[in-house]
Amino acid sequence: MDIKTNYLDLADGNRMPQEGFGLYKVDGQETMNASIKSAYDAGYRLFDTAQLYGNEQEVGTAFKELEIPRDQIFVTTKVAENNQGYDQAIASVKESLKKLQMDHVDLLLVHWPIERAFFETWRAFEDMKKAGLTHSIGVSNYQMIHLQYLATKAREMPVVDQIELHPLLTQKPLLKFNQDQQIVTQAWSPLGRGAVLGEEVLKRIADVHHKSPAQVILRWHLQNGVSFIPKSVHAARIQQNAAIYDFTLTDDEMAQIDALNKYQRTGREPELTYEYDKQY
Ligand SMILES: NC(=O)c1ccc[n+]([C@@H]2O[C@H](COP(=O)([O-])OP(=O)(O)OC[C@H]3O[C@@H](n4cnc5c(N)ncnc54)[C@H](OP(=O)(O)O)[C@@H]3O)[C@@H](O)[C@H]2O)c1
């Protein structure tokens, strides 16, 4: 198994690479082209952007300039809070597709749950899937309560929930809930934005396997069965983050990493975002 051939099955019948490439704060056409080229050459096939990142145009241009065939990649984008609502969501996704220079994305996510347009936005997502603007629909930053609420009216449920997930925020109950509901959990900030890399436990485990702490964390995600999307703008790290398929963590090492949990977020608390109607 390697990064290029390792896919997860989604509940709607589609497939998604388990490991992908995060594009938040990958800015400027030159950096975008170099990062996407390094990632594609290293075997990454999933690329994760969002309306909020302001780089969809650069992402689309990079694929064109690098002559990467559309059918070789899996592209995710996300609808921002201020574009939620039935008509607004559809109009914003058409605009995203124009910028990305493609006729569909593979996965479309609601970026954050917000109360104002909770059900209308999802209805738009279901209709956009039917219309072929996206192959799969999912959500991001949804907690158990948001998914349960969505289920009261949804015609189809999200197949992916992209959440903040790393050794300082292990989210075990939500992982179990998603798994029971056939929702694939996808980890954002899988490296905790670097915050966790200095942990002694990780250094010790990394030494045993002749790997880096970042590789140990990504291997932990892999063995947990979740999808994960590390970001880097450095070719050596991009390659390193893909080189995690040639070693295995023991059950004891997995448990030691689980024990780092401190309920520590690097991003927003979803419940507050829901109440405020935007990231605060
Ligand atoms: N849905 C959401 O609300 C949401 C929120 C945040 C992020 N995301 C998505 O998740 C992706 C990943 O999250 P993230 O970018 O916040 O954080 P991350 O992937 O956990 O960490 C990225 C940071 O770690 C560094 N890094 C990467 N590989 C490394 C390595 N091998 N060794 C040491 N340092 C390393 C990077 O630096 P360099 O770039 O300098 O190498 C960068 O500073 C984003 O790009 C975005 O696509 C989604």
Side-chain angles (χ1 to χ4, degrees), residues 89-210:
I90 295 175
S92 78
V93 170
K94 287 184 176 162
E95 191 56 36
S96 287
L97 290 173
K98 235 187 258 167
K99 290 180 180 162
L100 287 165
Q101 303 156 59
M102 42 190 71
D103 62 5
H104 72 278
V105 286
D106 297 278
L107 176 63
L108 185 66
L109 302 177
V110 183
H111 206 148
W112 288 83
I114 58 167
E115 187 185 6
R116 175 178 61 81
F118 190 76
F119 291 111
E120 301 90 282
T121 301
W122 190 248
R123 197 161 50 84
F125 270 51
E126 292 169 329
D127 290 348
M128 283 191 276
K129 181 176 170 231
K130 265 198 212 119
L133 302 188
T134 182
H135 285 172
S136 294
I137 51 176
V139 293
S140 180
N141 299 300
Y142 277 45
Q143 305 291 289
M144 220 178 292
I145 184 83
H146 305 119
L147 291 164
Q148 285 168 328
Y149 191 37
L150 190 64
T152 63
K153 290 200 182 153
R155 286 172 290 178
E156 56 182 290
M157 283 298 280
V159 294
V160 171
D161 186 12
Q162 185 184 112
I163 56 169
E164 182 177 350
L165 176 63
H166 46 72
L168 299 181
L169 183 71
T170 54
Q171 305 248 37
K172 292 286 174 193
L174 184 51
L175 258 55
K176 169 84 170 66
F177 177 86
N178 282 347
Q179 195 180 21
D180 290 347
Q181 304 295 315
Q182 273 99 47
I183 297 169
V184 169
T185 300
Q186 187 169 56
W188 67 253
S189 292
L191 300 170
R193 291 190 177 146
V196 70
L197 294 175
E199 293 282 346
E200 274 310 314
V201 174
L202 295 173
K203 284 190 198 162
R204 223 175 29 241
I205 297 173
D207 285 347
V208 171
H209 294 280
H210 307 291

Side-chain angles (χ1 to χ4, degrees), residues 21-26 48-49 53 78 109 111-112 140-141 162-163 166 187-194 197 212 214-215 218 229-234 236-238 240-241 266 279:
F21 190 65
L23 291 163
Y24 181 46
K25 294 198 172 151
V26 180
D48 180 272
T49 184
Y53 303 167
K78 316 183 192 79
L109 302 177
H111 206 148
W112 288 83
S140 180
N141 299 300
Q162 185 184 112
I163 56 169
H166 46 72
W188 67 253
S189 292
L191 300 170
R193 291 190 177 146
L197 294 175
S212 71
Q215 288 173 310
L218 297 175
I229 47 171
K231 169 263 175 189
S232 176
V233 292
H234 295 103
R237 287 177 174 174
I238 292 170
Q240 184 195 117
N241 293 346
T266 66
Q279 291 181 65

